[in-house]
Amino acid sequence: MNFDFTDEQIMLRQTTKQFVDKEINPFIQKWDREGAFDPAIWTRLSELGLMGVCIPEEYGGSGMDYNSLAIVCEELERGDTTFRTAVSVHTGLNSLTLLQWGTEEQKQKYLTPQAKGEKIGAYGLTEPGAGSDVASMQTTAVKEGSYYVLNGQKTWISLCDQADHF
Ligand SMILES: Cc1cc2nc3c(=O)[nH]c(=O)nc-3n(C[C@H](O)[C@H](O)[C@H](O)COP(=O)(O)OP(=O)(O)OC[C@H]3O[C@@H](n4cnc5c(N)ncnc54)[C@H](O)[C@@H]3O)c2cc1C
């Protein structure tokens, strides 16, 4: 079996590395101190196809494989954990779940804009009394007419103040 990176993956690593060196590293200390960052970063990540790197092209992604997502995460993490977390939650936890389990309608409505980076996805598992122990989750979603009424508490939710989809 050949475990070498493909030419496409090597290029992807180079692109992500350059992006981190030029557009994240010079500003990260300032953003860290201020507790905020320039939201234009999302646009740049989207333009480079990094918000849906392993999502099929038919759903707005770059159509690469899971190793490619790992490469992107590795290079982002080299700069700072913030954007690695953002991309791995948005793509790995949210978008890949939609790809695997979503209906076609959900994929069109939620996955496609996420893969293009037009909408940001978050993932809400952890609660004050439940993290790894998923079965202890207390939050409920009860359908009332055409809406779900949510009740409960969440904690540690990355991008909770930025995301469009949870
Ligand atoms: C930077 C950051 C970002 C995060 N972003 C998100 C997010 O976007 N969405 C989200 O939902 N959560 C997020 N989390 C929360 C994270 O997913 C939880 O911390 C994780 O689920 C662990 O849950 P817990 O903290 O309740 O720890 P616990 O589940 O209480 O675990 C505590 C310890 O017990 C061990 N343990 C747990 N169960 C077992 C078992 N059955 N057998 C043996 N050992 C066990 C664990 O390995 C751990 O060492 C984030 C956390 C961090 C630090």
Side-chain angles (χ1 to χ4, degrees):
M1 214 170 166
N2 183 3
F3 290 106
D4 291 343
F5 292 120
T6 63
D7 289 345
E8 199 183 29
Q9 288 169 335
I10 292 168
M11 224 160 73
L12 177 72
R13 185 183 293 283
Q14 197 56 31
T15 303
T16 315
K17 186 178 183 321
Q18 281 168 0
F19 167 75
V20 168
D21 285 342
K22 193 166 158 231
E23 302 187 47
I24 293 184
N25 283 351
F27 310 106
I28 195 66
Q29 282 188 350
K30 177 174 176 283
W31 290 340
D32 216 24
R33 261 184 246 117
E34 293 172 356
F37 62 89
D38 183 357
I41 282 285
W42 294 130
T43 313
R44 288 293 295 132
L45 282 164
S46 310
E47 285 167 357
L48 294 171
L50 305 183
M51 294 297 275
V53 72
C54 58
I55 304 298
E57 290 177 23
E58 61 177 306
Y59 295 117
S62 301
M64 297 178 79
D65 61 2
Y66 299 142
N67 284 343
S68 303
L69 175 63
I71 289 168
V72 170
C73 287
E74 240 176 32
E75 287 304 322
L76 290 174
E77 183 78 44
R78 188 178 59 82
D80 186 76
T81 203
T82 313
F83 299 99
R84 194 283 305 156
T85 305
V87 165
S88 58
V89 168
H90 168 90
T91 307
L93 294 178
N94 188 317
S95 298
L96 283 178
T97 304
L98 276 168
L99 180 67
Q100 179 73 27
W101 304 107
T103 63
E104 189 53 35
E105 192 191 349
Q106 288 168 336
K107 288 178 191 173
Q108 295 298 339
K109 189 171 175 185
Y110 302 109
L111 176 62
T112 301
Q114 284 183 195
K116 291 179 181 172
E118 295 164 358
K119 297 283 181 189
I120 306 295
Y123 186 76
L125 160 71
T126 308
E127 302 184 349
S132 314
D133 183 13
V134 179
S136 294
M137 261 176 51
Q138 300 286 309
T139 298
T140 54
V142 177
K143 198 164 188 184
E144 283 185 14
S146 54
Y147 293 92
Y148 280 94
V149 176
L150 302 179
N151 271 304
Q153 281 183 298
K154 293 286 167 184
T155 187
W156 280 109
I157 310 304
S158 304
L159 305 174
C160 67
D161 55 346
Q162 305 242 339
D164 302 285
H165 304 153
F166 289 80

